[in-house]
Amino acid sequence: MVVKPNWLRVKAPQWERVGSVKDILRDLHLNTVCEEASCPNIGECFHHGTATFLIMGPACTRACPYCDIDFEKKPVALDPTEPHRLAEAVRRMGLNHVVITSVNRDDLPDGGASQFVRCIEQIRILSPQTTIEVLIPDLCGNWEALETILQAAPEVINHNTETIPRLYKRVRPQGEYQRTLDLLMRSRQLAPWIYTKSGIMVGLGETDAEVREVMADLRQVDCDILTIGQYLQPTTKHLGVQDFVHPDQFATWQALGEEMGFLQIVSSPLTRSSYHAEQVQALMAKYPRAKPEL
């Protein structure tokens, strides 16, 4: 058994602020990936009044052995009121930047793209100054569905690579490494004004060289933002941690990513895909991109 090191200990959350966010989520019957995926940063993020909303869930049509979200082969139909309820939560929380992610919905012809679009549209109505990041599934390679999301013009489109190619069959059995790269590449080609983002987790048996190769592949498709974090085993039924990567190694990847040309790289043991996502606003101010006028 690999013992969790001290650098992975997190401070106890301040429950007054956490409770306030939870009250809003419960009142509007919304899910967050913070809770469903047992994120270790939930206390910090809820304390700052931020959350990553999980739509079309909470059950997923895939059963990735690293993920703590429930599996359901035939999930419930989409709720047409969800986009408005989500937008209302964004308004109540006063968010400057919001992240919307989803479970995989391989049962839907468009993978849920239309629901992402409706959520974006409702947020634009109630909170027009809020910047929007969508963390999307691979849509089973449905590029028309991807284009539908891009046309809704979120500021950031995020799709996680998750792991190195050698471990895909074990870690992400229904995913394809090349399909992930294709999604990011097509996003850049179809909507070059949108910032692209991806993330990987380490500690599953990958080598430093393999992580560097993934980073190079992501730069080949002009990915703007990268997050690298430590994988933590949610339960004994999930994939075990092979090793806890030292913070110095994360710092090395951080420096390498900056040299490689990522506009932003966040690399630390507790980094998650949406951790400190609001910092993208500073990136947008530094590297502005304007959508062309039609």
Side-chain angles (χ1 to χ4, degrees):
M1 180 179 179
V2 185
V3 179
K4 185 184 293 187
N6 290 333
W7 62 75
L8 284 170
R9 298 182 184 277
V10 296
K11 294 180 179 178
Q14 296 183 26
W15 288 107
E16 181 178 353
R17 184 63 176 116
V18 171
S20 175
V21 174
K22 279 182 172 286
D23 287 345
I24 292 173
L25 297 173
R26 297 297 85 80
D27 182 46
L28 294 169
H29 305 287
L30 292 168
N31 300 305
T32 65
V33 75
C34 321
E35 296 170 291
E36 299 298 328
S38 305
C39 180
N41 302 312
I42 186 171
E44 179 181 354
C45 293
F46 276 21
H47 171 62
H48 288 99
T50 65
T52 298
F53 294 97
L54 181 71
I55 64 173
M56 298 184 279
C60 183
T61 55
R62 299 187 189 181
C64 298
Y66 68 86
C67 183
D68 201 24
I69 292 177
D70 292 336
F71 168 71
E72 178 56 65
K73 190 174 183 180
K74 294 182 178 180
V76 298
L78 297 182
D79 185 340
T81 71
E82 181 177 56
H84 178 75
R85 288 185 285 106
L86 189 154
E88 175 62 17
V90 172
R91 186 192 68 80
R92 290 190 195 179
M93 293 170 67
L95 301 184
N96 293 318
H97 181 78
V98 61
V99 183
I100 310 166
T101 190
S102 78
V103 294
N104 282 278
R105 289 300 300 262
D106 295 341
D107 59 312
L108 301 174
D110 70 350
S114 57
Q115 192 79 336
F116 272 105
V117 170
R118 286 188 283 267
C119 289
I120 293 169
E121 291 173 344
Q122 287 297 311
I123 292 169
R124 296 291 189 215
I125 292 170
L126 295 185
S127 303
Q129 301 306 311
T130 299
T131 52
I132 300 173
E133 176 177 330
V134 290
L135 172 52
I136 64 172
D138 62 22
L139 306 170
C140 295
N142 183 338
W143 304 134
E144 290 184 2
L146 172 63
E147 188 168 4
T148 297
I149 296 174
L150 294 170
Q151 288 173 346
E155 278 74 18
V156 180
I157 189 139
N158 185 350
H159 175 62
N160 282 336
T161 308
E162 303 293 11
T163 189
I164 61 166
R166 176 174 58 83
L167 295 177
Y168 248 65
K169 287 185 178 180
R170 182 164 68 92
V171 176
R172 200 180 188 188
Q174 292 166 280
E176 297 177 11
Y177 181 73
Q178 188 57 51
R179 187 161 66 195
T180 285
L181 294 178
D182 287 347
L183 185 152
L184 293 165
M185 178 182 67
R186 288 172 182 269
S187 297
R188 168 64 68 242
Q189 293 171 342
L190 292 167
W193 56 89
I194 294 177
Y195 299 86
T196 55
K197 178 177 176 180
S198 194
I200 59 175
M201 53 189 173
V202 295
L204 287 163
E206 69 292 317
T207 66
D208 172 54
E210 288 174 318
V211 172
R212 290 168 180 258
E213 287 174 5
V214 171
M215 294 172 69
D217 286 344
L218 290 170
R219 285 303 301 134
Q220 277 293 113
V221 297
D222 205 16
C223 182
D224 294 311
I225 305 165
L226 175 64
T227 60
I228 306 177
Q230 170 72 51
Y231 166 70
L232 297 175
Q233 183 181 18
T235 73
T236 55
K237 296 179 180 179
H238 292 80
L239 288 176
V241 176
Q242 297 301 304
D243 57 288
F244 290 109
V245 179
H246 194 276
D248 289 349
Q249 179 62 68
F250 283 100
T252 297
W253 289 325
Q254 173 102 20
L256 174 63
E258 292 168 355
E259 292 175 8
M260 294 174 74
F262 286 101
L263 299 186
Q264 182 185 61
I265 178 166
V266 185
S267 176
S268 73
L270 287 173
T271 291
R272 293 297 179 267
S273 186
S274 302
Y275 187 48
H276 290 174
E278 73 282 354
Q279 293 177 359
V280 75
Q281 291 187 326
L283 178 149
M284 293 166 61
K286 186 175 181 179
Y287 304 102
R289 293 176 183 167
K291 182 178 180 180
E293 298 293 335
L294 297 178

